[in-house]
Amino acid sequence: MLSATRRERDYAIALLVREADLALRSTDVYSVTNKNQTAPSGNIHDYLSLSKYYWPNKNTPDGLPYTRIDGHVNPEIETVRDYRLLRTMIREVHVMGMAYHFTGNKDYATKCAMRLREWFLDEATYMNPNINFGSLRKGEDLGARTGVLDMFTIFRVFDALHYLKQEPSWPQDLVPQLQEWFTRYLHWLETSKLAKVERESNNNHGTYFDVQIIAIYLFLGRTEDAKQVALKALHLRIDPQISAKGEQPEEMERKTSWYYSVFNLQALMTLARWGDDLGVDMWSYEGPKGQSIKKAIDFMLPFASRGGEGWPVENLKGFDMTDYLKCLQIAWYIYGDDKYLDTIAYLGPRVQQDMDDGKIKTISTFMCDISTLLEATARGGQGFIWHWCLT
């Protein structure tokens, strides 16, 4: 058994190092200044992304303003690279940070420091601390509130920093400078009209706003503020977003209803994981009508067991089970409900086959399995692998 466990561990680390080495070799510049069009402000340092479900208006000569077609992504979004580069930077810093943790190779730490300075701090390439022009709909002068979501995966960087700053050669001024940047960005999150509307959303956008702001509060040492967000999430996220039966009505109205139901579930479980550290039990909370995270998981369970057959609402682009499987594996450790095991046993080989066929990215669940097993009975760890599992 121990030899098999070691093989699984070595395989998981090998996959991690392979991805980290690709990031290490990359010579591309990751910066908001690396685009061929600017935001309506005219400032090249302002972050810009285009709203993915908005298309040229067929009823106007110039196609403006763009109009929404839910579930259909406009490929024009790829003409502005800020979003893609931001997410690439975050992913690579996280992967290299984890690779540093497991291997001790300081080259990963050095490259992470460079990437963070390049995106946030260097005079020629820095990003202004706002997302005023995220998810811009062409024909408008300001971005949409949905653009606030672009930054939510930043917690991966903070997770990586926990390990990177232990490297003896790590620049001691970098974390304080990043904290200064995020203090200014947090002020924007707390005061801008776009962020206010996003925060008040009763769907995944509101949930991921909480994911983002809790991560920043914790990075800045504002633990009590983070706890207040988690406490409010019981009533602002679980109560209105989950029905007595476990449906997520706002997500089920979307054209890609399965994807968004899983996506919001991932956010709720991420909040619950942070709640463990903050003294807020979201896992067992039940709203006035019995709403709970467990009911949301359970509602999807029979449909997952049938490959999506019988799903009660419209759903484009199929039933990818990869992320729901991750949620289910963690749910079993949290709740100990044996009915989850049958569906895990059903989905696991099918997801693995999709990896083998090249339909989805090859990953190892070993780190997920070990970390969730350890933390299910002794919570309060860093949670970085939970983040990897869930989002």
Side-chain angles (χ1 to χ4, degrees), residues 249-267:
E250 292 289 331
E251 313 309 330
M252 292 179 72
E253 288 182 0
R254 302 297 297 271
K255 297 293 185 181
T256 48
S257 55
W258 177 266
Y259 165 81
Y260 277 107
S261 293
V262 176
F263 187 55
N264 192 50
L265 179 60
Q266 290 173 287

Side-chain angles (χ1 to χ4, degrees), residues 69-83:
I69 306 177
D70 190 28
H72 298 273
V73 177
N74 184 348
E76 189 179 357
I77 62 172
E78 298 297 343
T79 64
V80 179
R81 300 182 64 207
D82 288 5
Y83 172 83

Side-chain angles (χ1 to χ4, degrees), residues 177-342:
Q177 288 177 341
L178 290 171
Q179 288 174 324
E180 181 181 348
W181 192 97
F182 277 99
T183 297
R184 290 184 288 143
Y185 177 71
L186 179 63
H187 176 74
W188 180 84
L189 271 184
E190 293 177 325
T191 60
S192 77
K193 291 181 180 178
L194 287 177
K196 182 173 185 270
V197 176
E198 182 75 341
R199 187 173 208 162
E200 293 172 350
S201 299
N202 280 332
N203 63 359
N204 67 84
H205 283 273
T207 318
Y208 277 105
F209 182 95
D210 288 355
V211 167
Q212 180 176 171
I213 202 167
I214 282 182
I216 295 171
Y217 278 142
L218 292 174
F219 178 56
L220 298 178
R222 294 173 56 174
T223 305
E224 185 57 33
D225 290 316
K227 182 175 182 178
Q228 290 305 309
V229 174
L231 281 169
K232 291 178 182 178
L234 299 175
H235 307 292
L236 295 179
R237 306 306 174 206
I238 294 177
D239 286 1
Q241 291 185 14
I242 302 173
S243 75
K245 294 180 180 179
E247 303 130 316
Q248 298 174 68
E250 292 289 331
E251 313 309 330
M252 292 179 72
E253 288 182 0
R254 302 297 297 271
K255 297 293 185 181
T256 48
S257 55
W258 177 266
Y259 165 81
Y260 277 107
S261 293
V262 176
F263 187 55
N264 192 50
L265 179 60
Q266 290 173 287
L268 290 167
M269 293 179 73
T270 300
L271 289 180
R273 174 59 191 84
W274 269 318
D276 290 338
D277 291 343
L278 296 166
V280 180
D281 185 3
M282 295 182 67
W283 297 111
S284 58
Y285 170 80
E286 290 191 3
K289 298 179 181 179
Q291 310 99 306
S292 69
I293 291 174
K294 188 176 189 302
K295 277 196 175 178
I297 296 166
D298 290 353
F299 175 78
M300 302 181 74
L301 191 67
F303 304 108
S305 300
R306 299 192 296 267
E309 182 182 345
W311 183 245
V313 295
E314 180 181 10
N315 180 60
L316 302 178
K317 301 182 181 179
F319 294 86
D320 184 347
M321 296 296 168
T322 310
D323 289 333
Y324 182 70
L325 175 60
K326 297 175 189 176
C327 292
L328 207 56
Q329 289 167 328
I330 289 172
W332 183 79
Y333 288 118
I334 294 295
Y335 298 112
D337 193 331
D338 285 347
K339 69 174 178 283
Y340 297 151
L341 294 179
D342 290 338

Side-chain angles (χ1 to χ4, degrees), residues 86-87 90 149-157 212 391:
L86 171 64
R87 290 300 181 90
I90 291 172
L149 195 70
D150 289 4
M151 186 68 82
F152 89 81
T153 58
I154 194 63
F155 59 75
R156 291 177 177 271
V157 168
Q212 180 176 171
T391 52

Side-chain angles (χ1 to χ4, degrees), residues 135-151:
S135 289
L136 182 75
R137 301 161 187 175
K138 288 198 172 182
E140 301 186 8
D141 295 327
L142 193 65
R145 54 98 182 168
T146 55
V148 178
L149 195 70
D150 289 4
M151 186 68 82

Side-chain angles (χ1 to χ4, degrees), residues 13-217:
I13 293 175
L15 290 177
L16 175 68
V17 167
R18 183 175 69 183
E19 189 170 354
D21 285 347
L22 289 174
L24 191 64
R25 292 194 294 269
S26 174
T27 58
D28 293 346
V29 175
Y30 300 162
S31 168
V32 293
T33 62
N34 196 19
K35 55 177 177 280
N36 57 13
Q37 57 185 297
T38 59
S41 64
N43 188 333
I44 193 67
H45 292 281
D46 279 337
Y47 176 90
L48 173 66
S49 63
L50 301 181
S51 194
K52 66 180 182 178
Y53 297 131
Y54 277 74
W55 294 75
N57 192 329
K58 296 179 180 179
N59 298 319
T60 60
D62 60 1
L64 302 177
Y66 276 28
T67 57
R68 179 180 173 87
I69 306 177
D70 190 28
H72 298 273
V73 177
N74 184 348
E76 189 179 357
I77 62 172
E78 298 297 343
T79 64
V80 179
R81 300 182 64 207
D82 288 5
Y83 172 83
R84 190 67 61 195
L85 292 177
L86 171 64
R87 290 300 181 90
T88 299
M89 181 276 295
I90 291 172
R91 185 184 69 253
E92 290 188 358
V93 168
H94 180 248
V95 167
M96 288 190 289
M98 296 304 102
Y100 167 76
H101 172 61
F102 286 111
T103 69
N105 183 347
K106 70 177 183 179
D107 290 344
Y108 296 131
T110 300
K111 189 61 173 276
C112 286
M114 184 276 285
R115 286 300 186 202
L116 292 170
R117 289 193 185 281
E118 180 178 62
W119 188 272
F120 294 108
L121 303 171
D122 288 347
E123 184 174 355
T125 55
Y126 70 87
M127 171 186 165
N128 283 327
N130 66 72
I131 306 186
N132 285 324
F133 306 101
S135 289
L136 182 75
R137 301 161 187 175
K138 288 198 172 182
E140 301 186 8
D141 295 327
L142 193 65
R145 54 98 182 168
T146 55
V148 178
L149 195 70
D150 289 4
M151 186 68 82
F152 89 81
T153 58
I154 194 63
F155 59 75
R156 291 177 177 271
V157 168
F158 303 151
D159 287 343
L161 285 171
H162 175 77
Y163 300 102
L164 291 167
K165 64 187 181 183
Q166 298 175 30
E167 162 57 36
S169 63
W170 181 258
Q172 296 303 302
D173 63 338
L174 182 51
V175 170
Q177 288 177 341
L178 290 171
Q179 288 174 324
E180 181 181 348
W181 192 97
F182 277 99
T183 297
R184 290 184 288 143
Y185 177 71
L186 179 63
H187 176 74
W188 180 84
L189 271 184
E190 293 177 325
T191 60
S192 77
K193 291 181 180 178
L194 287 177
K196 182 173 185 270
V197 176
E198 182 75 341
R199 187 173 208 162
E200 293 172 350
S201 299
N202 280 332
N203 63 359
N204 67 84
H205 283 273
T207 318
Y208 277 105
F209 182 95
D210 288 355
V211 167
Q212 180 176 171
I213 202 167
I214 282 182
I216 295 171
Y217 278 142

